[in-house]
Amino acid sequence: MKSSILLVVAFMAFAPQAQAQAAKLSTFDEVRTQYKNYRDPTRLSYLYNRCAALQLNVSALLQRKGQNQGAKDFENLAQHFMVLSEANEREIDKKRGLKSKDTMKTVQRNVANVSEVYSKRLKDNYAKRGEFIVGDAQLEAELAECNLPEVFKKKALAE
């Protein structure tokens, strides 16, 4: 009995730390550096997925505020990044000699995972400052970059 109580207490003590780390994201520049240093094409997909996830979170916020057209615009941008990610994943499979199967489902699953991290961060921001994005320099910078998909793509692919 005592060991199970200690286990629960230990879990509760470390849970906030684990949650705080879950809401931490590497900067886009850090991921781009990894991509350039290791030529790891999955890092490129990850960048696209991050933008898609962020765009979807902003879309949801706008939808809740009744700004339907803005929400739709952000949703369309998210879809564009998901298509870029899917194309990249297909290229990875092709280079590996694999036949691509359900690539978009994989992309959607990856975007959903990153979206949860963004959602947690947005909620934390709101709880701390009363704003979801404003005041979070990293999210502000990422949103600005993700709003220009072709510029973002060129920057990600730059040597």
Side-chain angles (χ1 to χ4, degrees), residues 48-59 78 81-82 110-116 118-119 122:
Y48 294 149
N49 294 342
R50 288 263 303 263
C51 276
L54 182 55
Q55 300 288 3
L56 289 173
N57 272 279
V58 172
S59 176
F81 279 106
M82 291 171 74
N110 292 339
V111 169
N113 289 335
V114 178
S115 185
E116 287 181 32
Y118 274 121
S119 179
L122 293 170

Side-chain angles (χ1 to χ4, degrees), residues 1-62:
M1 180 71 174
K2 279 188 176 183
S3 62
S4 62
I5 292 172
L6 286 175
L7 185 61
V8 170
V9 170
F11 175 74
M12 291 175 66
F14 291 109
Q17 182 180 9
Q19 289 174 351
Q21 289 178 349
K24 177 157 176 22
L25 296 162
S26 300
T27 66
F28 282 167
D29 284 338
E30 290 169 339
V31 178
R32 281 190 282 264
T33 299
Q34 291 171 351
Y35 172 68
K36 290 173 188 170
N37 289 342
Y38 303 110
R39 301 311 298 167
D40 178 5
T42 62
R43 298 287 86 201
L44 188 57
S45 291
Y46 177 67
L47 284 171
Y48 294 149
N49 294 342
R50 288 263 303 263
C51 276
L54 182 55
Q55 300 288 3
L56 289 173
N57 272 279
V58 172
S59 176
L61 291 173
L62 292 174

Side-chain angles (χ1 to χ4, degrees), residues 29-104:
D29 284 338
E30 290 169 339
V31 178
R32 281 190 282 264
T33 299
Q34 291 171 351
Y35 172 68
K36 290 173 188 170
N37 289 342
Y38 303 110
R39 301 311 298 167
D40 178 5
T42 62
R43 298 287 86 201
L44 188 57
S45 291
Y46 177 67
L47 284 171
Y48 294 149
N49 294 342
R50 288 263 303 263
C51 276
L54 182 55
Q55 300 288 3
L56 289 173
N57 272 279
V58 172
S59 176
L61 291 173
L62 292 174
Q63 188 75 37
R64 279 187 240 141
K65 291 182 177 182
Q67 298 176 12
N68 296 334
Q69 186 56 51
K72 185 167 178 50
D73 292 343
F74 277 97
E75 190 175 323
N76 288 338
L77 277 171
Q79 184 63 37
H80 181 74
F81 279 106
M82 291 171 74
V83 169
L84 289 173
S85 181
E86 179 185 30
N88 190 61
E89 289 296 323
R90 288 184 189 281
E91 190 62 32
I92 292 169
D93 287 349
K94 184 179 172 184
K95 287 180 181 176
R96 293 179 178 166
L98 302 172
K99 184 176 177 163
S100 298
K101 288 185 179 177
D102 297 326
T103 308
M104 186 51 87

